[in-house]
Amino acid sequence: MTLMVVQTAEVREALERWFGFHTFRPSQEAIVRDVLDGRDVFALLPTGGGKSLCYQLPAVLTPGLTVVISPLIALMKDQVDALDTAGVPATALNSSLAWPELRRRLDGLERGDYKLLYVAPERLTLPGFSDDLERWNVARFVVDEAHCISEWGHDFRPEYRRIAPLRERFPTVPFCAFTATATARVRDDVVAQLGLRRPAVHVASFDRANLGYRVVHAPRTADALVKWIAARPDDEAGIVYAGSRANSDKLADVLNAAGIPALAYHAGLDSATRARRQEAFIRDDVRVMCATIAFGMGIDKSNVRFVVHWDVPRSLEGYYQETGRAGRDGLPAECAWFFAYGDIARVERFVEEKPEGERAAAREQLERVKRYAYSNECRRRELLAYFGETYPHEHCGNCDNCVQPRASFDATLDAQKLLSCVYRVREAHGYGVGIAHVIDVLVGAKTEKIDRWFHDRLSTYGIGKDRDRRTWRHLADELLRLGLLEQDAARHNVVSLTDAGKRALAQRTPITVREAVAQAPARRGRTVAAAAGGDEAYDRELFAVLRALRREIAAERDVPPYVVFSDAVLRAMAREVPRTPAQLRSISGVGEKKLADFGTRFLEAIAVLRQAQDDTVH
Ligand code: ADP
Ligand code: ZN
């Protein structure tokens, strides 16, 4: 291999010219350096960290073809569209191509027309493909989503095992592996499976400063979700993750009924419907996807502004992957988990029903998820700790626990009332009742059940009249969290005292609980988010016009809108209101080719709107 010495200035210049970016994201420059030096590389960057640039930039800077192995056709298509739009010659080979188109691309590869080639791993073992590669002057192999090679990862793909033999066939060509998911075990496995040679290992911080995390502890109703989404600007798209097909259908119905355009997505739909719905989301034709975790991998849409979890995430790692799909463009985005205690009990039961061999691991996963939900600490800190990273600040200022820390207070007396009411009702009743009935008894309600079961004769009937149902509900949640009460999901969530609860009741142990969170609408404008560059004021009317233009151009070219310009670029335009090509070019994300192709149309749109706005003022 002959190595080219590429100067730093040259790298920066190419970053500007092809991608229109003024600066690198953390770790990008060092990775680009190592790739350019011809080293094997293993790089771990969070979703949205900007992995593609790390090999696309070297690809335009050096002779030869960069071969990218990628697991999904949809992903390849997006990447090729994005490169095309930026003026970088790239193509993909996959089984979905009709012969004439395939021939055209193969001819281009023979001529050396392309800087990048995307292929699925299956292609690597097709007869003759290695010979083709020999002729195409491969500069490096890039393995995207490299964790797919490991059985220890969450997304093992046996086809990835076909990559390793390439190493023998191309002993002098460097291999670069990229992933957003890797525990230490997966990391070592990837390096071993790919046979990486003394790789330069880059592990970027997993912190996504522009993402806000919150656990919504308010009663989880569909109405609460509608309100939460409705409080956000209606040009913001998002994903609602549900734990079941039924829930994703139901939530989509509820949102549509409330006037929020939504589609369901799950494995129960045929593949054509799924593809159509995914496309509608990617193209900004529908605002919300209500989906099971079947949705997400292969979604490069950079302007996902919120991710909601409706059911209990399966693991903290999964949660982080799913929330990671928000805010890839670096603008502020929200991740909210609508939490319900009853769900935890249900998942616990589900875990206990697993085969012996899987139980311990599943229990541990659930424990981590629970601890996260119940925690009072900075959520970012906890998430990063899960990945073995220490967040360097005590508070991030961009999670519910940092923004609205909740005070603790002594609730011994009320807790005693509630615990003894549970105890009395159970004693009187023989078998259990749900928490709603216990609260009815506490507040002295007159219900059919209370009548029928004579629960108005209990000594605890009406002893909690002085507080409203909400307060009791919150206290019950806290006692569940503290392990003094438990719910039995196998029996309609009936509540009972745990041994600790019985002891606390008998010994009058002091009980401290946290305040309920006031139900706040989605927050806007925060400290850390400002650092992510998204909080400055911009002209919303202009933004809407630019968005419409972007959509029009995207439709003409048959590409997703974010491939034309990201939301971050449009917001910067709506903030800085460029008048000249030079001003437009100075916006991050406006490269040479995009300026040439779309500059005039965007400048015109800006001028026209500004004129109209001036006319209204005068
Ligand atoms: P990943 O594959 O790591 O999830 P991508 O490569 O898709 O991330 O990049 C995420 C987004 O960040 C894209 O919209 C990309 O254009 C943008 N991006 C990448 N590098 C930079 C940079 N240096 N400056 C600004 N934006 C960047
Ligand atoms: Zn925090």
Side-chain angles (χ1 to χ4, degrees):
M1 266 254 357
T2 48
L3 288 183
M4 295 233 324
V5 182
V6 184
Q7 300 300 327
T8 307
E10 219 180 312
V11 175
R12 296 251 160 184
E13 203 262 335
L15 179 70
E16 269 288 344
R17 170 154 170 232
W18 297 97
F19 300 93
F21 298 142
H22 309 320
T23 52
F24 282 106
R25 293 235 177 108
S27 300
Q28 278 180 332
E29 188 165 19
I31 297 171
V32 166
R33 217 45 273 172
D34 283 327
V35 175
L36 285 171
D37 285 347
R39 291 193 62 178
D40 278 4
V41 169
F42 176 85
L44 183 57
L45 270 79
T47 309
K51 283 181 281 297
S52 10
L53 186 103
C54 298
Y55 57 84
Q56 291 172 349
L57 194 58
V60 298
L61 279 164
T62 49
L65 181 71
T66 294
V67 177
V68 186
I69 298 149
S70 172
L72 295 169
I73 293 179
L75 270 181
M76 295 183 205
K77 192 176 167 328
D78 256 28
Q79 296 271 343
V80 171
D81 283 346
L83 287 165
D84 252 4
T85 315
V88 178
T91 192
L93 294 180
N94 59 58
S95 50
S96 74
L97 297 170
W99 173 246
E101 178 59 22
L102 182 62
R103 184 72 262 162
R104 202 182 62 76
R105 294 184 186 187
L106 290 170
D107 289 345
L109 285 159
E110 295 294 338
R111 285 194 303 267
D113 286 352
Y114 302 110
K115 296 307 309 178
L116 292 112
L117 165 67
Y118 286 80
V119 292
E122 292 84 339
R123 183 153 297 262
L124 302 174
T125 41
L126 289 189
F129 190 65
S130 295
D131 300 332
D132 291 343
L133 290 174
E134 294 270 11
R135 287 194 312 279
W136 296 342
N137 185 22
V138 178
R140 63 189 66 83
F141 288 102
V142 171
V143 184
D144 203 7
E145 314 284 357
H147 60 276
C148 291
I149 204 172
S150 172
E151 280 173 289
W152 303 112
H154 60 90
D155 195 23
F156 173 54
R157 288 169 185 250
E159 319 85 76
Y160 261 61
R161 293 282 160 89
R162 303 186 192 186
I163 301 171
L166 277 181
R167 190 88 254 197
E168 286 151 44
R169 183 75 193 254
F170 298 89
T172 57
V173 178
F175 272 65
C176 309
F178 290 86
T179 174
T181 338
T183 53
R185 187 185 215 177
V186 175
R187 199 185 308 170
D188 294 344
D189 200 27
V190 170
V191 170
Q193 297 279 351
L194 285 175
L196 297 185
R197 285 187 302 236
R198 301 198 304 111
V201 175
H202 295 268
V203 180
S205 165
F206 261 47
D207 183 24
R208 300 281 309 280
N210 60 318
L211 301 191
Y213 301 99
R214 63 167 43 222
V215 177
V216 181
H217 277 280
R220 189 190 57 180
T221 57
D223 192 44
L225 178 66
V226 168
K227 278 208 189 107
W228 192 85
I229 296 178
R232 315 184 63 85
D234 61 13
D235 55 13
E236 294 195 348
I239 306 173
V240 176
Y241 279 111
S244 64
R245 297 172 189 187
N247 272 355
S248 63
D249 283 332
K250 185 189 90 186
L251 293 172
D253 288 345
V254 168
L255 293 181
N256 279 313
I260 299 169
L263 285 173
Y265 186 104
H266 50 70
L269 301 164
D270 62 74
S271 62
T273 307
R274 282 209 307 267
R276 213 167 46 239
R277 293 187 175 182
Q278 172 166 328
E279 196 65 14
F281 183 63
I282 285 174
R283 307 226 162 177
D284 294 344
D285 291 339
V286 64
R287 197 175 158 204
V288 182
M289 263 334 221
C290 297
T292 60
I293 52 168
F295 181 74
M297 172 85 164
I299 304 294
D300 260 356
K301 184 179 168 79
S302 69
N303 56 339
V304 174
R305 295 268 73 84
F306 60 86
V307 170
V308 167
H309 278 75
W310 185 258
D311 292 298
V312 181
R314 288 204 293 201
S315 68
L316 219 46
E317 163 135 35
Y319 182 70
Y320 204 68
Q321 286 306 318
E322 285 138 28
T323 54
R325 292 173 186 138
R328 281 177 190 238
D329 52 17
L331 296 174
E334 284 289 330
C335 310
W337 172 9
F338 281 65
F339 181 85
Y341 276 89
D343 280 356
I344 294 278
R346 198 161 41 244
V347 179
E348 267 166 353
R349 183 176 152 221
F350 183 70
V351 166
E352 293 316 316
E353 283 167 4
K354 276 184 182 278
E356 177 86 40
E358 296 167 30
R359 218 175 295 150
R363 251 187 222 143
E364 193 185 312
Q365 299 275 32
L366 180 61
E367 262 325 295
R368 293 300 295 249
V369 168
K370 249 166 84 177
R371 217 185 312 155
Y372 175 79
Y374 293 169
S375 170
N376 270 332
E377 309 293 319
C378 173
R379 305 234 182 250
R380 186 175 314 276
R381 204 175 218 311
E382 302 236 333
L383 287 168
L384 291 174
Y386 181 79
F387 294 100
E389 186 176 334
T390 310
Y391 186 61
H393 314 285
E394 182 150 359
H395 293 293
C396 71
N398 197 11
C399 76
D400 53 347
N401 286 337
C402 287
V403 173
Q404 297 177 294
R406 283 182 286 164
S408 297
F409 64 96
D410 179 85
T412 311
L413 200 62
D414 282 342
Q416 290 281 340
K417 287 182 184 173
L418 201 148
L419 292 172
S420 66
C421 192
V422 171
Y423 184 74
R424 291 285 161 229
V425 171
R426 256 195 103 98
E427 206 176 44
H429 206 59
Y431 50 91
V433 297
I435 196 69
H437 181 73
V438 173
I439 293 173
D440 281 342
V441 174
L442 270 174
V443 300
K446 298 203 181 312
T447 69
E448 186 267 329
K449 277 183 189 164
I450 285 177
D451 258 6
R452 175 150 45 101
W453 294 331
F454 303 111
H455 282 175
D456 49 357
R457 296 186 192 167
L458 293 174
S459 61
T460 53
Y461 183 74
I463 56 168
K465 269 207 279 293
D466 53 333
R467 306 229 186 275
D468 62 12
R469 279 194 167 78
R470 237 189 120 99
T471 308
W472 288 116
R473 181 90 227 182
H474 169 69
L475 183 59
D477 283 351
E478 285 291 285
L479 298 180
L480 282 165
R481 177 177 70 85
L482 294 171
L484 302 177
L485 282 181
E486 63 189 352
Q487 266 178 329
D488 187 349
R491 294 173 50 229
H492 309 289
N493 277 340
V494 304
V495 284
S496 56
L497 304 191
T498 59
D499 288 341
K502 286 178 195 148
R503 271 199 306 280
L505 184 60
Q507 297 165 5
R508 307 203 146 260
T509 320
I511 295 170
T512 306
V513 302
R514 296 179 310 194
E515 272 171 3
V517 183
Q519 221 173 344
R523 297 153 298 155
R524 312 221 57 91
R526 286 168 315 270
T527 46
V528 180
D535 256 2
E536 292 152 70
Y538 60 93
D539 181 338
R540 289 206 82 96
E541 192 184 3
L542 180 51
F543 180 69
V545 167
L546 299 175
R547 241 176 137 251
L549 175 57
R550 172 177 69 176
R551 238 180 106 147
E552 193 179 302
I553 295 174
E556 287 163 16
R557 303 190 150 224
D558 196 26
V559 297
Y562 55 84
V563 159
V564 175
F565 281 130
S566 72
D567 274 19
V569 174
L570 296 193
R571 278 203 196 172
M573 286 188 202
R575 188 169 53 237
E576 286 161 32
V577 197
R579 307 276 183 171
T580 64
Q583 286 170 353
L584 184 56
R585 178 71 174 78
S586 75
I587 286 171
S588 169
V590 183
E592 216 162 66
K593 171 86 169 141
K594 291 190 182 181
L595 180 74
D597 286 356
F598 320 127
T600 317
R601 287 173 78 177
F602 276 91
L603 286 170
E604 252 170 41
I606 292 169
V608 167
L609 181 78
R610 270 298 145 113
Q611 186 62 51
Q613 285 172 334
D614 287 351
D615 291 348
T616 359
V617 174
H618 296 305

